[in-house]
Amino acid sequence: MKLVRMSFVLAALVALSTSSALAQSYTAINASPLKIHVGADGSYQVYNSSVPGVGQVFPTSSELADMGVFARIDGVLYAPDFKSRGTATGAGLTDYTAWQQISISPQPVGSGSPDSPFAVSVVLAAPNTDVRANVTTSYVRGNSFFRIRTHIYTTTGRRPHVDAFLGADIYLASSDNGIFLSVPQLSAVGGRNCDAADGAYNILLIPITTADRFTAAHYSDVWRQIQANELDNNTIGDACIDNGAAIQWLDVMRDSDSVEMLTAVSFGEVPSAANFHGFILKVEPDFVTLSPGESVNLKVTSRHNPELEFNSPIAFSATDLPPGLTMTFSPSTVPAPGDGTVNATLTLGPDAYPQLYRDLRVYGTGGNETRAGLFAVDVLCTPPYILGLSTSQPQSQVVANGTRATLRVKPEGGGIYSYQWYAGHAPLIGSPIANSNSAAFETPPVTEPRQYWVRVTNQCGSVNSLTATVSPSGVSSFAPMTHSID
């Protein structure tokens, strides 16, 4: 327990009860399972209905607590007004300037649905600068996480040096101690309750906008690292300790006089990464079976995430398919806000290597994001075969003397077939017939009995047809073998 810090908190609460000038100012998003207090100074307190009566940020009894947005602007650290509440003092964060409170939404807007999340907007100013921060907190009823959009800008158009942070002294369910936690698929840091035998409870800071640095450490080390403007990129050990976490974005305004960072904070189960994408892609069907030379039509659907206010056209590509596989799109884009379905034609060349290809990707790019939709292709290797039917094999026939005969083959199997007809008896290949490369073959004028056959080939192998004898009427069908054997 943080007994020393708790004494500061109690003293501050007494002072607050007698001084309206220090009254805590916040707007509450009263929902379930999370109840979120959004402070007018850029700070937070969060309550989870699965942990009744306990704030999930220290101090747990404070309506606003040690979590918030920070920025170092031209060398000066700006932070929530922790000192006025007696929190975060003597714990590393001793030299900072409090944000100037400009405005806060008097109540949440929105209905709490995915298309209309609850939202509270806070406008902060960095005193003695032209820098402002518009911090919008949004929450969808039923989620275990909420999102924070931090828009930092200047009123004069200049480009100051700004490093931005989100930091918190976390309180894991019913304990102030936890084990450091890193979730690579979310690039997230935070903590997990020390005794997970009764089920893991996690608190995570999630950088939706890619962050440059992070830390999960003893709460006092988190404040010291923010104070020093250099998070150490560590989640140290597995000891049960009084912990906190922070993420950092470096020099965010070097290319513009306005920038946005998107983050999320989750409580309980680790959320799916899809919750923090501006849009998602889906490929249908997601598994197909083809042979070399064949093609198939797929549907690629994109859906934008209204909770992130994503509004951008999506362009599609498939740039890293295996050799022999190609894909085209019609159309190649969907318009903003990023909702739509396009036709994708997957084609296998004759050289496509037969195997099962897993985790193939269709890419969608829009709004500075690239997402992938996954699918799989089983490329079969089936050599051609010819059924012993009169409609499949070349058929012997008698035609009028001096006329031509047409022989045909109908192979089965997969892929693209190539054909080569030969004069003579199968499988003798000493007399290939020039330009006879299709399923039908027209003989020269028939004046004496002749034998012909065809070899059918695909990427996976070859098969020989039976021999057909073509004879002029009134002449014996026997033809002497006059062709060499290869």
mmCIF file of all heavy atoms in Angstrom, residues 363-409:
data_model
loop_
_atom_site.group_PDB
_atom_site.id
_atom_site.type_symbol
_atom_site.label_atom_id
_atom_site.label_comp_id
_atom_site.label_asym_id
_atom_site.label_seq_id
_atom_site.Cartn_x
_atom_site.Cartn_y
_atom_site.Cartn_z
ATOM 1 N N TYR A 363 -4.237 -6.790 -49.412
ATOM 2 C CA TYR A 363 -3.981 -5.588 -48.618
ATOM 3 C C TYR A 363 -4.953 -4.477 -48.996
ATOM 4 O O TYR A 363 -5.297 -4.298 -50.170
ATOM 5 C CB TYR A 363 -2.547 -5.096 -48.830
ATOM 6 C CG TYR A 363 -1.498 -6.046 -48.306
ATOM 7 C CD1 TYR A 363 -0.779 -6.859 -49.163
ATOM 8 C CD2 TYR A 363 -1.247 -6.145 -46.942
ATOM 9 C CE1 TYR A 363 0.174 -7.744 -48.684
ATOM 10 C CE2 TYR A 363 -0.292 -7.019 -46.450
ATOM 11 C CZ TYR A 363 0.414 -7.818 -47.320
ATOM 12 O OH TYR A 363 1.355 -8.692 -46.837
ATOM 13 N N GLY A 364 -5.386 -3.752 -47.980
ATOM 14 C CA GLY A 364 -6.142 -2.529 -48.170
ATOM 15 C C GLY A 364 -5.389 -1.389 -47.517
ATOM 16 O O GLY A 364 -4.892 -1.532 -46.390
ATOM 17 N N THR A 365 -5.271 -0.267 -48.222
ATOM 18 C CA THR A 365 -4.540 0.884 -47.701
ATOM 19 C C THR A 365 -5.420 2.114 -47.770
ATOM 20 O O THR A 365 -6.019 2.412 -48.809
ATOM 21 C CB THR A 365 -3.245 1.131 -48.500
ATOM 22 O OG1 THR A 365 -2.410 -0.032 -48.415
ATOM 23 C CG2 THR A 365 -2.485 2.325 -47.949
ATOM 24 N N GLY A 366 -5.491 2.831 -46.642
ATOM 25 C CA GLY A 366 -6.272 4.065 -46.584
ATOM 26 C C GLY A 366 -6.104 4.726 -45.239
ATOM 27 O O GLY A 366 -5.912 4.055 -44.219
ATOM 28 N N GLY A 367 -6.131 6.061 -45.227
ATOM 29 C CA GLY A 367 -6.024 6.778 -43.967
ATOM 30 C C GLY A 367 -4.760 6.483 -43.199
ATOM 31 O O GLY A 367 -4.785 6.362 -41.971
ATOM 32 N N ASN A 368 -3.624 6.310 -43.888
ATOM 33 C CA ASN A 368 -2.332 6.010 -43.269
ATOM 34 C C ASN A 368 -2.313 4.647 -42.580
ATOM 35 O O ASN A 368 -1.466 4.403 -41.719
ATOM 36 C CB ASN A 368 -1.931 7.105 -42.265
ATOM 37 C CG ASN A 368 -1.728 8.447 -42.919
ATOM 38 O OD1 ASN A 368 -1.158 8.529 -44.005
ATOM 39 N ND2 ASN A 368 -2.214 9.500 -42.279
ATOM 40 N N GLU A 369 -3.225 3.768 -42.933
ATOM 41 C CA GLU A 369 -3.235 2.414 -42.394
ATOM 42 C C GLU A 369 -3.212 1.414 -43.548
ATOM 43 O O GLU A 369 -3.746 1.681 -44.618
ATOM 44 C CB GLU A 369 -4.482 2.145 -41.558
ATOM 45 C CG GLU A 369 -4.564 2.886 -40.249
ATOM 46 C CD GLU A 369 -5.721 2.383 -39.411
ATOM 47 O OE1 GLU A 369 -5.811 1.152 -39.188
ATOM 48 O OE2 GLU A 369 -6.552 3.204 -38.994
ATOM 49 N N THR A 370 -2.597 0.271 -43.277
ATOM 50 C CA THR A 370 -2.659 -0.868 -44.196
ATOM 51 C C THR A 370 -3.092 -2.089 -43.412
ATOM 52 O O THR A 370 -2.482 -2.438 -42.398
ATOM 53 C CB THR A 370 -1.301 -1.133 -44.863
ATOM 54 O OG1 THR A 370 -0.943 0.006 -45.660
ATOM 55 C CG2 THR A 370 -1.372 -2.354 -45.758
ATOM 56 N N ARG A 371 -4.160 -2.703 -43.849
ATOM 57 C CA ARG A 371 -4.702 -3.897 -43.200
ATOM 58 C C ARG A 371 -4.660 -5.041 -44.199
ATOM 59 O O ARG A 371 -4.584 -4.822 -45.411
ATOM 60 C CB ARG A 371 -6.135 -3.675 -42.736
ATOM 61 C CG ARG A 371 -6.315 -2.504 -41.785
ATOM 62 C CD ARG A 371 -6.275 -2.944 -40.329
ATOM 63 N NE ARG A 371 -4.965 -3.300 -39.855
ATOM 64 C CZ ARG A 371 -4.104 -2.413 -39.352
ATOM 65 N NH1 ARG A 371 -4.409 -1.153 -39.291
ATOM 66 N NH2 ARG A 371 -2.937 -2.821 -38.907
ATOM 67 N N ALA A 372 -4.746 -6.264 -43.692
ATOM 68 C CA ALA A 372 -4.694 -7.443 -44.550
ATOM 69 C C ALA A 372 -5.899 -8.338 -44.296
ATOM 70 O O ALA A 372 -6.337 -8.495 -43.153
ATOM 71 C CB ALA A 372 -3.409 -8.225 -44.315
ATOM 72 N N GLY A 373 -6.429 -8.903 -45.377
ATOM 73 C CA GLY A 373 -7.425 -9.960 -45.298
ATOM 74 C C GLY A 373 -6.771 -11.261 -45.706
ATOM 75 O O GLY A 373 -6.066 -11.325 -46.718
ATOM 76 N N LEU A 374 -6.978 -12.325 -44.934
ATOM 77 C CA LEU A 374 -6.270 -13.587 -45.143
ATOM 78 C C LEU A 374 -7.124 -14.589 -45.919
ATOM 79 O O LEU A 374 -8.343 -14.620 -45.784
ATOM 80 C CB LEU A 374 -5.867 -14.191 -43.807
ATOM 81 C CG LEU A 374 -4.958 -13.352 -42.913
ATOM 82 C CD1 LEU A 374 -4.643 -14.116 -41.622
ATOM 83 C CD2 LEU A 374 -3.682 -12.968 -43.618
ATOM 84 N N PHE A 375 -6.449 -15.413 -46.715
ATOM 85 C CA PHE A 375 -7.102 -16.529 -47.387
ATOM 86 C C PHE A 375 -6.056 -17.595 -47.683
ATOM 87 O O PHE A 375 -4.849 -17.361 -47.496
ATOM 88 C CB PHE A 375 -7.814 -16.081 -48.665
ATOM 89 C CG PHE A 375 -6.895 -15.610 -49.767
ATOM 90 C CD1 PHE A 375 -6.603 -16.442 -50.841
ATOM 91 C CD2 PHE A 375 -6.335 -14.338 -49.740
ATOM 92 C CE1 PHE A 375 -5.757 -16.019 -51.857
ATOM 93 C CE2 PHE A 375 -5.499 -13.901 -50.756
ATOM 94 C CZ PHE A 375 -5.207 -14.748 -51.819
ATOM 95 N N ALA A 376 -6.506 -18.759 -48.098
ATOM 96 C CA ALA A 376 -5.598 -19.869 -48.391
ATOM 97 C C ALA A 376 -5.985 -20.492 -49.734
ATOM 98 O O ALA A 376 -7.148 -20.470 -50.134
ATOM 99 C CB ALA A 376 -5.645 -20.912 -47.290
ATOM 100 N N VAL A 377 -4.985 -21.043 -50.414
ATOM 101 C CA VAL A 377 -5.185 -21.692 -51.708
ATOM 102 C C VAL A 377 -4.489 -23.047 -51.685
ATOM 103 O O VAL A 377 -3.303 -23.139 -51.356
ATOM 104 C CB VAL A 377 -4.629 -20.846 -52.872
ATOM 105 C CG1 VAL A 377 -4.827 -21.574 -54.188
ATOM 106 C CG2 VAL A 377 -5.287 -19.485 -52.918
ATOM 107 N N ASP A 378 -5.228 -24.076 -52.019
ATOM 108 C CA ASP A 378 -4.645 -25.413 -52.182
ATOM 109 C C ASP A 378 -4.467 -25.649 -53.675
ATOM 110 O O ASP A 378 -5.444 -25.822 -54.414
ATOM 111 C CB ASP A 378 -5.570 -26.459 -51.574
ATOM 112 C CG ASP A 378 -4.888 -27.821 -51.447
ATOM 113 O OD1 ASP A 378 -3.687 -27.909 -51.754
ATOM 114 O OD2 ASP A 378 -5.561 -28.781 -51.039
ATOM 115 N N VAL A 379 -3.222 -25.611 -54.136
ATOM 116 C CA VAL A 379 -2.911 -25.828 -55.553
ATOM 117 C C VAL A 379 -2.686 -27.328 -55.748
ATOM 118 O O VAL A 379 -1.752 -27.908 -55.206
ATOM 119 C CB VAL A 379 -1.673 -25.025 -55.982
ATOM 120 C CG1 VAL A 379 -1.367 -25.281 -57.459
ATOM 121 C CG2 VAL A 379 -1.887 -23.541 -55.741
ATOM 122 N N LEU A 380 -3.587 -27.934 -56.519
ATOM 123 C CA LEU A 380 -3.527 -29.376 -56.725
ATOM 124 C C LEU A 380 -2.591 -29.742 -57.869
ATOM 125 O O LEU A 380 -2.453 -28.992 -58.839
ATOM 126 C CB LEU A 380 -4.926 -29.913 -57.031
ATOM 127 C CG LEU A 380 -5.983 -29.707 -55.945
ATOM 128 C CD1 LEU A 380 -7.299 -30.315 -56.388
ATOM 129 C CD2 LEU A 380 -5.536 -30.310 -54.624
ATOM 130 N N CYS A 381 -1.984 -30.895 -57.769
ATOM 131 C CA CYS A 381 -1.131 -31.408 -58.838
ATOM 132 C C CYS A 381 -1.729 -32.722 -59.335
ATOM 133 O O CYS A 381 -1.443 -33.795 -58.823
ATOM 134 C CB CYS A 381 0.288 -31.620 -58.333
ATOM 135 S SG CYS A 381 1.447 -32.086 -59.627
ATOM 136 N N THR A 382 -2.600 -32.620 -60.315
ATOM 137 C CA THR A 382 -3.254 -33.797 -60.888
ATOM 138 C C THR A 382 -2.896 -33.909 -62.360
ATOM 139 O O THR A 382 -3.302 -33.063 -63.163
ATOM 140 C CB THR A 382 -4.780 -33.698 -60.751
ATOM 141 O OG1 THR A 382 -5.123 -33.545 -59.380
ATOM 142 C CG2 THR A 382 -5.462 -34.944 -61.309
ATOM 143 N N PRO A 383 -2.111 -34.919 -62.770
ATOM 144 C CA PRO A 383 -1.820 -35.078 -64.201
ATOM 145 C C PRO A 383 -3.111 -35.325 -64.972
ATOM 146 O O PRO A 383 -4.093 -35.834 -64.419
ATOM 147 C CB PRO A 383 -0.910 -36.314 -64.238
ATOM 148 C CG PRO A 383 -0.362 -36.438 -62.844
ATOM 149 C CD PRO A 383 -1.452 -35.933 -61.943
ATOM 150 N N PRO A 384 -3.136 -34.990 -66.225
ATOM 151 C CA PRO A 384 -4.356 -35.237 -67.010
ATOM 152 C C PRO A 384 -4.574 -36.735 -67.213
ATOM 153 O O PRO A 384 -3.650 -37.545 -67.113
ATOM 154 C CB PRO A 384 -4.067 -34.535 -68.331
ATOM 155 C CG PRO A 384 -2.586 -34.502 -68.429
ATOM 156 C CD PRO A 384 -2.073 -34.384 -67.019
ATOM 157 N N TYR A 385 -5.807 -37.092 -67.481
ATOM 158 C CA TYR A 385 -6.140 -38.478 -67.828
ATOM 159 C C TYR A 385 -7.254 -38.437 -68.874
ATOM 160 O O TYR A 385 -7.962 -37.432 -69.027
ATOM 161 C CB TYR A 385 -6.559 -39.285 -66.600
ATOM 162 C CG TYR A 385 -7.742 -38.733 -65.848
ATOM 163 C CD1 TYR A 385 -9.039 -39.158 -66.118
ATOM 164 C CD2 TYR A 385 -7.556 -37.784 -64.842
ATOM 165 C CE1 TYR A 385 -10.120 -38.659 -65.420
ATOM 166 C CE2 TYR A 385 -8.627 -37.274 -64.128
ATOM 167 C CZ TYR A 385 -9.907 -37.707 -64.421
ATOM 168 O OH TYR A 385 -10.970 -37.198 -63.731
ATOM 169 N N ILE A 386 -7.363 -39.542 -69.624
ATOM 170 C CA ILE A 386 -8.355 -39.628 -70.700
ATOM 171 C C ILE A 386 -9.206 -40.863 -70.455
ATOM 172 O O ILE A 386 -8.681 -41.992 -70.377
ATOM 173 C CB ILE A 386 -7.688 -39.728 -72.086
ATOM 174 C CG1 ILE A 386 -6.694 -38.578 -72.285
ATOM 175 C CG2 ILE A 386 -8.742 -39.704 -73.190
ATOM 176 C CD1 ILE A 386 -5.830 -38.725 -73.528
ATOM 177 N N LEU A 387 -10.477 -40.640 -70.303
ATOM 178 C CA LEU A 387 -11.388 -41.763 -70.072
ATOM 179 C C LEU A 387 -11.496 -42.636 -71.336
ATOM 180 O O LEU A 387 -11.320 -42.158 -72.454
ATOM 181 C CB LEU A 387 -12.761 -41.234 -69.676
ATOM 182 C CG LEU A 387 -12.827 -40.447 -68.362
ATOM 183 C CD1 LEU A 387 -14.227 -39.883 -68.159
ATOM 184 C CD2 LEU A 387 -12.398 -41.305 -67.180
ATOM 185 N N GLY A 388 -11.786 -43.904 -71.121
ATOM 186 C CA GLY A 388 -11.900 -44.824 -72.260
ATOM 187 C C GLY A 388 -13.279 -44.764 -72.898
ATOM 188 O O GLY A 388 -13.940 -45.796 -73.046
ATOM 189 N N LEU A 389 -13.720 -43.592 -73.272
ATOM 190 C CA LEU A 389 -15.035 -43.390 -73.863
ATOM 191 C C LEU A 389 -14.892 -42.927 -75.302
ATOM 192 O O LEU A 389 -13.878 -42.311 -75.668
ATOM 193 C CB LEU A 389 -15.823 -42.339 -73.063
ATOM 194 C CG LEU A 389 -16.038 -42.625 -71.564
ATOM 195 C CD1 LEU A 389 -16.706 -41.426 -70.898
ATOM 196 C CD2 LEU A 389 -16.874 -43.876 -71.379
ATOM 197 N N SER A 390 -15.914 -43.190 -76.099
ATOM 198 C CA SER A 390 -15.867 -42.763 -77.499
ATOM 199 C C SER A 390 -15.832 -41.241 -77.612
ATOM 200 O O SER A 390 -15.348 -40.705 -78.614
ATOM 201 C CB SER A 390 -17.086 -43.306 -78.249
ATOM 202 O OG SER A 390 -18.285 -42.826 -77.661
ATOM 203 N N THR A 391 -16.323 -40.546 -76.577
ATOM 204 C CA THR A 391 -16.293 -39.083 -76.622
ATOM 205 C C THR A 391 -14.998 -38.514 -76.067
ATOM 206 O O THR A 391 -14.791 -37.303 -76.110
ATOM 207 C CB THR A 391 -17.475 -38.522 -75.811
ATOM 208 O OG1 THR A 391 -17.423 -39.054 -74.480
ATOM 209 C CG2 THR A 391 -18.802 -38.875 -76.459
ATOM 210 N N SER A 392 -14.134 -39.393 -75.523
ATOM 211 C CA SER A 392 -12.903 -38.924 -74.891
ATOM 212 C C SER A 392 -11.660 -39.272 -75.703
ATOM 213 O O SER A 392 -10.749 -38.452 -75.847
ATOM 214 C CB SER A 392 -12.769 -39.524 -73.479
ATOM 215 O OG SER A 392 -13.862 -39.175 -72.666
ATOM 216 N N GLN A 393 -11.583 -40.494 -76.245
ATOM 217 C CA GLN A 393 -10.410 -40.940 -76.984
ATOM 218 C C GLN A 393 -10.561 -40.641 -78.480
ATOM 219 O O GLN A 393 -11.689 -40.607 -79.011
ATOM 220 C CB GLN A 393 -10.232 -42.444 -76.811
ATOM 221 C CG GLN A 393 -9.899 -42.882 -75.414
ATOM 222 C CD GLN A 393 -8.431 -42.642 -75.046
ATOM 223 O OE1 GLN A 393 -7.622 -42.241 -75.902
ATOM 224 N NE2 GLN A 393 -8.104 -42.887 -73.787
ATOM 225 N N PRO A 394 -9.447 -40.390 -79.193
ATOM 226 C CA PRO A 394 -9.518 -40.296 -80.662
ATOM 227 C C PRO A 394 -10.081 -41.601 -81.232
ATOM 228 O O PRO A 394 -9.695 -42.699 -80.788
ATOM 229 C CB PRO A 394 -8.065 -40.070 -81.083
ATOM 230 C CG PRO A 394 -7.359 -39.601 -79.851
ATOM 231 C CD PRO A 394 -8.064 -40.227 -78.695
ATOM 232 N N GLN A 395 -10.993 -41.511 -82.184
ATOM 233 C CA GLN A 395 -11.691 -42.684 -82.701
ATOM 234 C C GLN A 395 -11.237 -43.029 -84.124
ATOM 235 O O GLN A 395 -11.111 -42.147 -84.974
ATOM 236 C CB GLN A 395 -13.193 -42.435 -82.710
ATOM 237 C CG GLN A 395 -13.784 -42.219 -81.326
ATOM 238 C CD GLN A 395 -13.631 -43.440 -80.433
ATOM 239 O OE1 GLN A 395 -14.111 -44.545 -80.782
ATOM 240 N NE2 GLN A 395 -12.951 -43.264 -79.296
ATOM 241 N N SER A 396 -10.970 -44.324 -84.330
ATOM 242 C CA SER A 396 -10.665 -44.798 -85.690
ATOM 243 C C SER A 396 -11.881 -44.552 -86.578
ATOM 244 O O SER A 396 -13.030 -44.626 -86.114
ATOM 245 C CB SER A 396 -10.318 -46.291 -85.667
ATOM 246 O OG SER A 396 -9.138 -46.518 -84.932
ATOM 247 N N GLN A 397 -11.613 -44.256 -87.854
ATOM 248 C CA GLN A 397 -12.733 -43.947 -88.751
ATOM 249 C C GLN A 397 -12.329 -44.163 -90.201
ATOM 250 O O GLN A 397 -11.140 -44.219 -90.536
ATOM 251 C CB GLN A 397 -13.218 -42.520 -88.537
ATOM 252 C CG GLN A 397 -12.131 -41.451 -88.638
ATOM 253 C CD GLN A 397 -12.603 -40.080 -88.197
ATOM 254 O OE1 GLN A 397 -13.311 -39.433 -88.966
ATOM 255 N NE2 GLN A 397 -12.203 -39.668 -87.004
ATOM 256 N N VAL A 398 -13.351 -44.306 -91.052
ATOM 257 C CA VAL A 398 -13.168 -44.470 -92.493
ATOM 258 C C VAL A 398 -13.811 -43.276 -93.173
ATOM 259 O O VAL A 398 -14.948 -42.905 -92.864
ATOM 260 C CB VAL A 398 -13.811 -45.775 -93.001
ATOM 261 C CG1 VAL A 398 -13.693 -45.883 -94.522
ATOM 262 C CG2 VAL A 398 -13.159 -46.986 -92.328
ATOM 263 N N VAL A 399 -13.061 -42.642 -94.085
ATOM 264 C CA VAL A 399 -13.566 -41.472 -94.794
ATOM 265 C C VAL A 399 -13.398 -41.701 -96.288
ATOM 266 O O VAL A 399 -12.668 -42.604 -96.726
ATOM 267 C CB VAL A 399 -12.824 -40.193 -94.360
ATOM 268 C CG1 VAL A 399 -13.044 -39.908 -92.888
ATOM 269 C CG2 VAL A 399 -11.326 -40.312 -94.669
ATOM 270 N N ALA A 400 -14.064 -40.878 -97.073
ATOM 271 C CA ALA A 400 -13.947 -40.993 -98.532
ATOM 272 C C ALA A 400 -12.507 -40.762 -98.952
ATOM 273 O O ALA A 400 -11.797 -39.940 -98.367
ATOM 274 C CB ALA A 400 -14.874 -39.988 -99.206
ATOM 275 N N ASN A 401 -12.091 -41.507 -99.918
ATOM 276 C CA ASN A 401 -10.713 -41.410 -100.398
ATOM 277 C C ASN A 401 -10.402 -39.971 -100.793
ATOM 278 O O ASN A 401 -11.148 -39.311 -101.524
ATOM 279 C CB ASN A 401 -10.514 -42.351 -101.585
ATOM 280 C CG ASN A 401 -9.049 -42.480 -101.971
ATOM 281 O OD1 ASN A 401 -8.171 -42.320 -101.142
ATOM 282 N ND2 ASN A 401 -8.806 -42.772 -103.237
ATOM 283 N N GLY A 402 -9.283 -39.435 -100.284
ATOM 284 C CA GLY A 402 -8.832 -38.083 -100.612
ATOM 285 C C GLY A 402 -9.430 -36.994 -99.726
ATOM 286 O O GLY A 402 -9.088 -35.819 -99.902
ATOM 287 N N THR A 403 -10.290 -37.381 -98.815
ATOM 288 C CA THR A 403 -10.836 -36.364 -97.897
ATOM 289 C C THR A 403 -10.075 -36.411 -96.569
ATOM 290 O O THR A 403 -9.227 -37.275 -96.326
ATOM 291 C CB THR A 403 -12.329 -36.595 -97.644
ATOM 292 O OG1 THR A 403 -12.502 -37.859 -97.009
ATOM 293 C CG2 THR A 403 -13.096 -36.573 -98.965
ATOM 294 N N ARG A 404 -10.410 -35.461 -95.717
ATOM 295 C CA ARG A 404 -9.724 -35.336 -94.421
ATOM 296 C C ARG A 404 -10.608 -35.900 -93.301
ATOM 297 O O ARG A 404 -11.830 -35.883 -93.399
ATOM 298 C CB ARG A 404 -9.390 -33.875 -94.118
ATOM 299 C CG ARG A 404 -8.472 -33.240 -95.168
ATOM 300 C CD ARG A 404 -8.307 -31.748 -94.883
ATOM 301 N NE ARG A 404 -7.520 -31.074 -95.903
ATOM 302 C CZ ARG A 404 -6.200 -30.910 -95.859
ATOM 303 N NH1 ARG A 404 -5.507 -31.369 -94.823
ATOM 304 N NH2 ARG A 404 -5.573 -30.292 -96.843
ATOM 305 N N ALA A 405 -9.950 -36.327 -92.245
ATOM 306 C CA ALA A 405 -10.644 -36.778 -91.040
ATOM 307 C C ALA A 405 -10.289 -35.844 -89.883
ATOM 308 O O ALA A 405 -9.197 -35.256 -89.852
ATOM 309 C CB ALA A 405 -10.253 -38.203 -90.698
ATOM 310 N N THR A 406 -11.215 -35.718 -88.935
ATOM 311 C CA THR A 406 -10.957 -34.925 -87.727
ATOM 312 C C THR A 406 -10.959 -35.844 -86.516
ATOM 313 O O THR A 406 -11.933 -36.584 -86.282
ATOM 314 C CB THR A 406 -12.022 -33.830 -87.547
ATOM 315 O OG1 THR A 406 -11.974 -32.952 -88.668
ATOM 316 C CG2 THR A 406 -11.752 -33.037 -86.276
ATOM 317 N N LEU A 407 -9.866 -35.817 -85.786
ATOM 318 C CA LEU A 407 -9.722 -36.598 -84.566
ATOM 319 C C LEU A 407 -9.813 -35.652 -83.358
ATOM 320 O O LEU A 407 -9.330 -34.516 -83.408
ATOM 321 C CB LEU A 407 -8.389 -37.340 -84.560
ATOM 322 C CG LEU A 407 -8.138 -38.278 -85.744
ATOM 323 C CD1 LEU A 407 -6.732 -38.871 -85.658
ATOM 324 C CD2 LEU A 407 -9.187 -39.377 -85.779
ATOM 325 N N ARG A 408 -10.408 -36.150 -82.269
ATOM 326 C CA ARG A 408 -10.579 -35.305 -81.081
ATOM 327 C C ARG A 408 -10.216 -36.080 -79.822
ATOM 328 O O ARG A 408 -10.376 -37.314 -79.762
ATOM 329 C CB ARG A 408 -12.027 -34.823 -80.964
ATOM 330 C CG ARG A 408 -12.425 -33.802 -82.017
ATOM 331 C CD ARG A 408 -13.859 -33.338 -81.814
ATOM 332 N NE ARG A 408 -14.201 -32.240 -82.706
ATOM 333 C CZ ARG A 408 -14.600 -32.393 -83.959
ATOM 334 N NH1 ARG A 408 -14.704 -33.622 -84.449
ATOM 335 N NH2 ARG A 408 -14.891 -31.343 -84.697
ATOM 336 N N VAL A 409 -9.751 -35.325 -78.807
ATOM 337 C CA VAL A 409 -9.480 -35.894 -77.496
ATOM 338 C C VAL A 409 -10.130 -34.997 -76.439
ATOM 339 O O VAL A 409 -10.219 -33.773 -76.618
ATOM 340 C CB VAL A 409 -7.955 -36.016 -77.247
ATOM 341 C CG1 VAL A 409 -7.297 -34.642 -77.146
ATOM 342 C CG2 VAL A 409 -7.679 -36.840 -76.001
#
